[in-house]
Amino acid sequence: MECIAALRLSATTPINGSSVSWSHRSSTAPPNLSFSTSSLSGDKIDFRTVPGSHQTKRTAFTISPKAVSDSRNSQTCLEPDTSRSVLGIILGGGAGTRLYPLTKKRAKPAVPLGANYRLIDIPVSNCLNSNISKIYVLTQFNSASLNRHLSRAYASNMGGYKKEGFVEVLAAQQSPENPNWFQGTADAVRQYLWLFEEHNILEFLVLAGDHLYRMDYERFILAHRETSADITVAAFPMDEKRATSFGLMKIDEEGRIIEFSEKPKGDQLKAMQVDTTILGLDEMKAKEMPFIASMGIYVVSKNVMLDLLSNKFPAANDFGSEVIPGATSIGMRVQAYLYEGYWEDIGTIEAFYNANLGITKKPVPDFSFYDRSSPIYTQPRYLPPSKMLDADVTDSVIGEGCVIKNCRIHHSVVGLRSCISEGAIIEDTLLMGADYYETEADRKFLAEKGSVSIGIGKNSHIKRAIIDKNARIGDDVKIINSDNVQEAAKETDGYFIKSGIVTIVKDALIPSGTLI
């Protein structure tokens, strides 16, 4: 579809009860069209004849509401398009201490997700589905498995026949100019500005590597360009109960951010209420969710990013608490962009557990991996189909290459290569699976030594737990937290308990007959 450029507004005409603006233009100037949230978004454009003209001109009519929001039914038409004009920067996050022990041997974005995937697949897939194929991933903790996954999943066929696309990991490194590791999100980007500024692009898209959501970044970037913003911040509407856990923003009548407040409470919280109808929310939802939280996702114009990090705030380490509020304070145009879909910040064990189990929800899961128009990509593993032998499986998601014998599985996510033996009961549990299969000879050798094979042993009962990869759970093991312990650190015994959820450490061995 050819890009059509926005109609400057001079006269107003009602169409189907909505206000539409249009004006004459000289024949040399192409008409400019903006697509945004409305009843007409994504519909056929209505071309009308301009009255008083000797020649019939094809003039496009569309509705331009006060702000632009994400909508899967709408079209975007960017010039230049995102593949040529946007660079994606995914921030791998810190040490991931709140997700420990899942981050004991891997970076946070490399943590397995939804039976077949890893967290990093979400922002990378969103980029690819939004026609953004130049992507850097910044990390400094346990990045070996992340590097391996990205190279296997996205090393080839990036950017089509021109091979201009890439997904590349940039690890923290010391240099004569900067002997320190990454000190925060802004510092991580600053340390690689010399590389980023070499790209001939218009905007940087800054993303987090540990969020679960599906978003059309082209609409996000369109909103940034339409409002002539220096920075655009993705905003998530929420109610009072959740708002105390997030950094909140206050906006004016044009959707411009005028104030920030980090996890406010009491009167400070009430002062951060905003009219979210300004950003396109309907009146009923706006009353239920009068707060907007920053999602930690930003579009930043290239020259603005270089100026902020090099000149204006050369010592700032963090985007959310320093650079973005600082840009607002010096008069830069910082806009909010409303996102209404499912979004979860996977920062804690409890959030990670709930996000994974949410994909089993019926009739509609919290997050679906079955969207054909916006698929989630991952590493091709060429595993055989899963095999279930007399198993009773309900309300669950089963990954590739599993062998599930005569057992019962309910409301659980079973990761790839999982082996579950006879008589086992798995309830409300996330099994991450295994990195490899053991051969019959391996299992026989382990049995002779009195050890345990990878997988879940016979007659074991697991409830409300996370079993990390390559764990060896013996026969007659009970992982049910019968005492309802909320917090425990038993790393030498192979497990932790956080928020009442038992997490078995990667490669742990839980002997037969163990009760947790």
Side-chain angles (χ1 to χ4, degrees):
M1 168 178 153
E2 283 190 344
C3 280
I4 312 172
L7 227 39
R8 286 283 173 194
L9 313 178
S10 67
T12 302
T13 304
I15 295 181
N16 297 331
S18 300
S19 181
V20 179
S21 300
W22 59 273
S23 69
H24 294 285
R25 272 248 176 123
S26 66
S27 58
T28 56
N32 189 337
L33 235 202
S34 73
F35 295 89
S36 43
T37 301
S38 73
S39 60
L40 296 185
S41 291
D43 293 340
K44 187 182 293 183
I45 300 166
D46 182 13
F47 289 101
R48 305 275 177 108
T49 303
V50 179
S53 171
H54 295 291
Q55 291 183 330
T56 299
K57 292 187 178 180
R58 290 171 63 79
T59 306
F61 287 79
T62 188
I63 296 200
S64 294
K66 287 180 278 189
V68 184
S69 300
D70 201 44
S71 168
R72 65 173 56 193
N73 295 321
S74 57
Q75 303 176 49
T76 54
C77 194
L78 291 169
E79 180 58 39
D81 65 56
T82 49
S83 66
R84 293 181 291 131
S85 61
V86 178
L87 182 69
I89 301 172
I90 301 174
L91 302 171
T97 52
R98 293 185 301 161
L99 268 180
Y100 195 87
L102 302 180
T103 52
K104 181 181 179 181
K105 296 182 179 181
R106 56 170 81 89
K108 193 158 45 168
V111 172
L113 171 76
N116 284 351
Y117 306 90
R118 292 182 186 254
L119 279 173
I120 191 64
D121 291 325
I122 302 302
V124 172
S125 297
N126 283 337
C127 282
L128 298 180
N129 292 331
S130 303
N131 201 27
I132 298 168
S133 56
K134 298 173 183 176
I135 306 162
Y136 286 111
V137 182
L138 274 58
T139 184
Q140 66 180 337
F141 292 99
N142 291 335
S143 55
S145 64
L146 179 63
N147 291 346
R148 184 167 58 245
H149 176 77
L150 291 173
S151 64
R152 291 174 178 175
Y154 307 106
S156 61
N157 298 322
M158 287 290 297
Y161 72 95
K162 292 183 179 179
K163 301 293 182 185
E164 291 174 349
F166 57 84
V167 179
E168 190 174 318
V169 175
L170 299 176
Q173 61 184 9
Q174 294 175 309
S175 66
E177 295 80 20
N178 193 335
N180 300 316
W181 303 114
F182 296 155
Q183 302 300 304
T185 54
D187 184 62
V189 173
R190 182 188 293 110
Q191 289 196 32
Y192 276 103
L193 270 184
W194 61 270
L195 176 62
F196 300 152
E197 67 180 328
E198 290 178 0
H199 291 274
N200 184 24
I201 48 101
L202 295 179
E203 295 100 3
F204 296 113
L205 175 65
V206 182
L207 306 169
D210 58 352
H211 294 175
L212 180 60
Y213 65 109
R214 179 181 275 105
M215 186 175 183
D216 181 359
Y217 297 142
E218 286 188 296
R219 290 192 52 75
F220 189 17
I221 292 152
L222 176 63
H224 178 80
R225 294 180 184 177
E226 282 190 332
T227 55
S228 302
D230 297 308
I231 302 170
T232 303
V233 181
F236 190 71
M238 55 180 53
D239 57 23
E240 187 172 338
K241 185 179 178 182
R242 290 189 69 191
T244 55
S245 303
F246 291 87
L248 302 184
M249 303 178 293
K250 204 164 186 177
I251 55 173
D252 64 14
E253 65 279 357
E254 294 181 348
R256 186 169 176 171
I257 299 170
I258 55 175
E259 188 181 341
F260 289 86
S261 183
E262 187 64 27
K263 299 180 181 177
K265 291 178 174 61
D267 291 339
Q268 280 187 318
L269 178 63
K270 287 192 171 82
M272 294 304 293
Q273 287 192 14
V274 297
D275 178 10
T276 43
T277 60
I278 292 169
L279 295 175
L281 219 57
D282 64 53
E283 288 190 14
M284 185 176 293
K285 282 187 179 178
K287 287 180 181 177
E288 294 172 1
M289 296 183 282
F291 301 95
I292 54 171
S294 169
M295 295 170 63
I297 299 172
Y298 317 107
V299 178
V300 186
S301 297
K302 180 181 179 180
N303 60 328
V304 172
M305 179 78 86
L306 299 177
D307 186 37
L308 285 174
L309 296 186
S310 301
N311 304 320
K312 296 287 195 304
F313 305 105
N317 290 328
D318 187 69
F319 277 114
S321 62
E322 297 175 81
V323 176
I324 308 296
T328 303
S329 68
I330 63 174
M332 285 190 168
R333 189 172 187 92
V334 182
Q335 288 286 138
Y337 170 84
L338 191 73
Y339 172 76
E340 289 188 69
Y342 172 82
W343 172 73
E344 189 64 57
D345 181 353
I346 313 263
T348 64
I349 289 289
E350 185 176 21
F352 177 76
Y353 172 84
N354 290 333
N356 275 276
L357 270 292
I359 69 174
T360 68
K361 191 177 289 185
K362 61 181 185 182
V364 180
D366 290 339
F367 181 87
S368 175
F369 288 95
Y370 300 89
D371 189 331
R372 190 170 67 174
S373 62
S374 301
I376 304 300
Y377 306 99
T378 192
Q379 172 187 337
R381 298 178 179 90
Y382 311 110
L383 291 172
S386 289
K387 179 165 61 174
M388 286 175 268
L389 308 172
D390 297 322
D392 179 11
V393 181
T394 55
D395 300 344
S396 298
V397 172
I398 310 296
E400 302 172 288
C402 299
V403 178
I404 300 171
K405 297 181 180 175
N406 185 9
C407 63
R408 183 160 69 84
I409 301 172
H410 174 70
H411 189 232
S412 296
V413 176
V414 180
L416 45 86
R417 302 188 190 89
S418 289
C419 294
I420 305 175
S421 301
E422 298 91 336
I425 299 174
I426 312 294
E427 303 174 281
D428 308 323
T429 291
L430 167 60
L431 303 181
M432 291 192 180
D435 290 318
Y436 56 92
Y437 290 117
E438 287 179 329
T439 64
E440 281 295 331
D442 292 334
R443 286 194 284 271
K444 185 176 179 182
F445 176 73
L446 289 167
E448 289 172 353
K449 283 176 53 182
S451 190
V452 177
S453 300
I454 289 178
I456 311 301
K458 295 178 182 178
N459 303 312
S460 289
H461 185 187
I462 303 174
K463 185 173 184 179
R464 192 170 162 76
I466 299 172
I467 312 298
D468 207 340
K469 281 193 169 183
N470 308 331
R472 302 170 186 272
I473 311 295
D475 297 340
D476 302 301
V477 170
K478 292 192 185 304
I479 304 174
I480 54 177
N481 193 13
S482 55
D483 295 332
N484 197 27
V485 176
Q486 291 301 298
E487 304 291 327
K490 302 276 189 178
E491 188 160 7
T492 53
D493 296 328
Y495 71 93
F496 284 75
I497 302 177
K498 293 187 177 183
S499 303
I501 301 162
V502 180
T503 302
I504 304 298
V505 178
K506 186 179 181 183
D507 301 314
L509 190 156
I510 308 298
S512 297
T514 300
L515 172 63
I516 298 176

